[in-house]
Amino acid sequence: MMTFSIHRGRILHFPRPTSAPEHNYQYFSDGILVVRDGLIEYLGEACDFLAENRLNSDDIIHHEGLILPGFIDAHVHYAQVEMIASYGEQLFDWLNNYTFPTEKKFIDRYYAKQQAEFFIAQLFAHGTTTAAVFATVHEHSVDMFFEAAEQYQARMICGKVLMDRFCPDTLRDNPKLGYWQSKELIEHWHHNGRNLYAVTPRFAPTSTPQQLQQAASLLREYPDVYMQTHLSENLNEIKWVKDLFPTSRDYLDVYESAGLLTERSIFGHGVHLCDSELKRLAANNATVACCPSSNLFLGSGLFPFHHIKDVGVNIAFASDIGAGTDLSLLANLADAYKICQLQGKSLNVFDSLYHSTQGAAVGLKLTDKIGNLNPGTEADFIEVNPTAFPMLQQRVERATSLESELFAVTTLGDERVINRTYVMGKCVFERTTKTE
Ligand code: GUN
Ligand code: ZN
């Protein structure tokens, strides 16, 4: 079916890859975004567009809020949504006491389907239109996820968790089984509609060297699939990896020597990386997913954003639910700011928004499709309401610059400020109640 819509309002995005987002954003105080058949056809000043096109006011959707590209969440576990806010543990005990028992429930296909549908609806309600998602070890957990995503034609990345040791028996696969199941899923889902596959070894401790080798074989066979895993999140984890892989020079080398370090590798966390690891990540054009609320919640450490950026590693923000405490990337940006402050640095709001949209798309090699509002890209965008609730409204009314207003939104905002979410030009979420 042909679709056509014209959106008018304030519009902000980052049209190009950049290391200086504060100097490379495009802002229209009165802009027009035209969408045809799911793609952006035109972006520009309203006065220019209206001078050239005779339109009735009814032909135009007017947005009171600010239009941004949909957020991209670079690392999140859909099966862990129900165990968000689980008390008292750091990484290993949290995995054993909460995560594995929860992921076991996904042996039930119907349960997986319900949770996948809930998760996708919640992503949209939080303004996220693309996510790199861990399913569980169960093959059907990926089927259920992609089936839920394709109902909306959403661009999603997902993969079956590979895990063949140090986990409960019912969550364990083996190198051959994990390989064949992943291969079958790639054949079925990768580039099926907007879906994209990520080979997903959970992390080095729960995969034997043989399993990591099998995962790398898949990357060689299917060079444009992603690889997602965890890296250098927690100090005890790093020690354990050293014991398990005594011949590796560091944590990254476990993945690198197996053949899992590519430009399509997304490494969750990367809190405690040494300079050599950072340089190799940059040289391979790989991406680190920064998970602020998770790193605080599990007490994992302070992500050195400015240092990692200076070395030239791609950075993409992420919620890491269920260790993260908010699916809203805005709430995670507020935590990211505080984490930087604890290291004596301030996180510029343009950096925050860039690495949640265009910068994340740079990492995912998807800037021709998502992360910005350039003509020709897919029409995934959101309308943010900077006056969604009184505390924010009062602060924004006193803001003396765009930067100050945006900083208030990223510091105080969460899903309450998401007014509408559009996927391929179609409204998939609309907030109906105003927050008091
Ligand atoms: N490391 C290995 N698995 C996980 C997980 O599910 N969450 C987090 N935060 N870290 C992990
Ligand atoms: Zn994670």
Side-chain angles (χ1 to χ4, degrees), residues 120-420:
I120 300 256
Q122 286 300 306
L123 277 185
F124 296 156
H126 288 75
T128 299
T129 48
T130 291
V133 179
F134 284 58
T136 64
V137 75
H138 313 96
E139 197 176 1
H140 60 246
S141 69
V142 175
D143 293 324
M144 296 303 106
F145 178 80
F146 279 137
E147 281 176 21
E150 78 178 353
Q151 290 177 35
Y152 302 95
Q153 281 189 283
R155 186 167 284 290
M156 294 287 169
I157 299 170
C158 184
K160 178 204 114 74
V161 167
L162 299 168
M163 181 154 67
D164 67 347
R165 64 175 177 180
F166 299 120
C167 63
D169 289 348
T170 51
L171 288 180
R172 186 172 308 181
D173 58 11
N174 62 60
K176 274 274 160 255
L177 180 66
Y179 169 87
W180 283 108
Q181 289 183 334
S182 303
K183 189 176 172 74
E184 204 166 71
L185 289 165
I186 292 168
E187 294 278 343
H188 187 75
W189 287 113
H190 190 54
H191 292 303
N192 180 341
R194 295 178 81 199
N195 295 319
L196 297 168
Y197 195 82
V199 172
T200 307
R202 176 170 222 118
F203 68 154
T206 50
S207 283
T208 57
Q210 293 75 9
Q211 180 159 67
L212 297 178
Q213 299 283 348
Q214 292 286 352
S217 307
L218 290 165
L219 300 189
R220 284 191 296 274
E221 283 176 63
Y222 301 95
D224 76 337
V225 301
Y226 294 94
M227 195 291 297
Q228 58 182 355
T229 188
H230 296 85
L231 170 69
S232 210
E233 173 179 5
N234 165 294
L235 293 173
N236 290 329
E237 170 204 15
I238 296 168
K239 273 195 214 124
W240 195 24
V241 170
K242 235 187 200 132
D243 291 345
L244 291 170
F245 298 89
T247 59
S248 293
R249 63 196 267 216
D250 50 37
Y251 194 161
L252 181 64
D253 188 40
V254 174
Y255 299 128
E256 188 176 8
S257 55
L260 293 171
L261 174 57
T262 79
E263 64 165 21
R264 280 161 198 276
S265 303
I266 312 160
F267 294 99
H269 302 284
V271 176
H272 306 286
L273 294 166
C274 69
D275 278 351
S276 162
E277 288 172 303
L278 289 174
K279 280 191 194 134
R280 280 140 55 211
L281 286 166
N284 285 281
N285 199 9
T287 298
V288 169
C290 169
C291 310
S293 68
S294 166
N295 293 336
L296 291 175
F297 185 70
L298 292 185
S300 302
L302 305 177
F303 184 86
F305 178 91
H306 294 85
H307 180 55
I308 293 183
K309 185 184 160 185
D310 286 347
V311 179
V313 180
N314 299 315
I315 300 173
F317 284 112
S319 70
D320 192 31
I321 296 292
T325 50
D326 208 314
L327 202 51
S328 164
L329 281 188
L330 292 171
N332 276 280
L333 296 178
D335 283 342
Y337 180 84
K338 295 168 200 162
I339 288 168
C340 289
Q341 285 297 112
L342 284 167
Q343 299 170 90
K345 307 257 185 189
S346 302
L347 179 61
N348 183 297
V349 68
F350 294 108
D351 259 318
S352 291
L353 292 173
Y354 176 77
H355 292 279
S356 316
T357 55
Q358 174 77 323
V362 168
L364 299 176
K365 317 298 175 285
L366 287 174
T367 54
D368 59 331
K369 297 187 169 61
I370 57 170
N372 60 72
L373 302 175
N374 294 330
T377 61
E378 298 163 348
D380 293 352
F381 58 96
I382 58 178
E383 181 197 338
V384 166
N385 177 6
T387 59
F389 52 93
M391 288 288 285
L392 178 60
Q393 178 169 8
Q394 172 166 278
R395 167 67 176 80
V396 162
E397 280 167 0
R398 286 157 178 72
T400 51
S401 64
L402 176 66
E403 182 171 359
S404 168
E405 176 187 3
L406 294 172
F407 182 64
V409 170
T410 59
T411 304
L412 305 178
D414 51 29
E415 80 268 33
R416 288 171 292 175
V417 309
I418 308 301
N419 249 8
R420 293 197 186 96

